[in-house]
Amino acid sequence: MDFVSDALFDGRRLRLLTIIDLFTRECLGIVVGQSLKSHDVQEALTAIARFRGNPDVLKTDNGSEFAGKVMDRRAYERNIEIDFSRPGKPTDNATVESFNGRLRQECLTENWFLSLADAREKIEAWRTFYTQVRPHSAFTWSTPSDYARKHAVSRGKQKQLEPDFSNSGWT
């Protein structure tokens, strides 16, 4: 998990929370708002866990939204390890940093956001494209969704509608 900042057309602040599956590189969610707090992080994690289950590990930086009591309690109650990157070492969380670079290059710099609703719509469309349509060289030019399905089948889970990666980590 990480945050990305941008702006609406009129200069008002725009903040995005990105959540990536470390194994499949699927973008599980992008929360878009003007001011995101730890409560927003919790809501996003709860929504994703409803269809994905809880991860074993959450990899993130030491930002106040991730390092506070609310996140500690959530992790403790769900037996989730929080793996904080070292201060000033973005390479500790290279997967999300790479994703955020693609998000900025392919979506944020290519779009003009007229409102918060417009930003949410365009960013969600790009997230869906990135996860379900855009091929990735790391997966021999498969999409993250295809890679997730192939992995689920190889583990004997082909009867599930959604693959179970509850033992994976999110960043």
Side-chain angles (χ1 to χ4, degrees):
M1 298 184 297
D2 199 12
F3 285 99
V4 177
S5 294
D6 202 42
L8 297 175
F9 83 101
D10 59 4
R12 286 182 291 155
R13 181 181 176 169
L14 191 62
R15 198 158 187 228
L16 292 73
L17 167 66
T18 58
I19 304 171
I20 311 300
D21 184 290
L22 284 168
F23 181 72
T24 65
R25 297 188 187 168
E26 291 172 287
C27 179
L28 303 177
I30 301 177
V31 179
V32 180
Q34 291 184 289
S35 174
L36 300 175
K37 308 270 189 251
S38 59
H39 175 73
D40 300 301
V41 174
Q42 299 307 312
E43 283 183 359
L45 294 176
T46 298
I48 293 168
R50 282 190 192 109
F51 70 87
R52 192 64 172 230
N54 286 309
D56 287 341
V57 178
L58 286 173
K59 190 163 187 59
T60 187
D61 62 26
N62 289 293
S64 61
E65 301 88 351
F66 304 132
K69 292 179 184 178
V70 173
M71 186 67 113
D72 283 346
R73 181 177 178 187
R74 177 188 178 81
Y76 176 78
E77 289 173 348
R78 291 163 178 81
N79 197 29
I80 300 170
E81 174 189 348
I82 301 177
D83 182 10
F84 292 107
S85 58
R86 297 170 292 170
K89 301 287 185 183
T91 55
D92 284 355
N93 206 352
T95 302
V96 79
E97 294 297 336
S98 175
F99 173 82
N100 288 346
R102 294 283 181 223
L103 170 63
R104 182 160 305 285
Q105 179 183 21
E106 297 175 10
C107 180
L108 301 181
T109 60
E110 295 294 319
N111 286 287
W112 188 255
F113 303 119
L114 301 176
S115 66
L116 195 54
D118 182 49
R120 286 179 176 141
E121 182 180 315
K122 289 173 180 173
I123 291 167
E124 177 59 20
W126 180 85
R127 185 196 72 79
T128 301
F129 171 79
Y130 178 90
T131 300
Q132 298 177 5
V133 178
R134 183 185 182 276
H136 294 250
S137 61
F139 302 133
T140 59
W141 301 108
S142 292
T143 68
S145 293
D146 287 341
Y147 184 76
R149 279 190 289 280
K150 288 175 190 173
H151 180 74
V153 170
S154 70
R155 294 177 62 193
K157 297 183 179 182
Q158 60 269 43
K159 293 184 182 181
Q160 288 183 235
L161 293 176
E162 292 287 331
D164 176 18
F165 293 105
S166 57
N167 292 327
S168 66
W170 299 350
T171 184

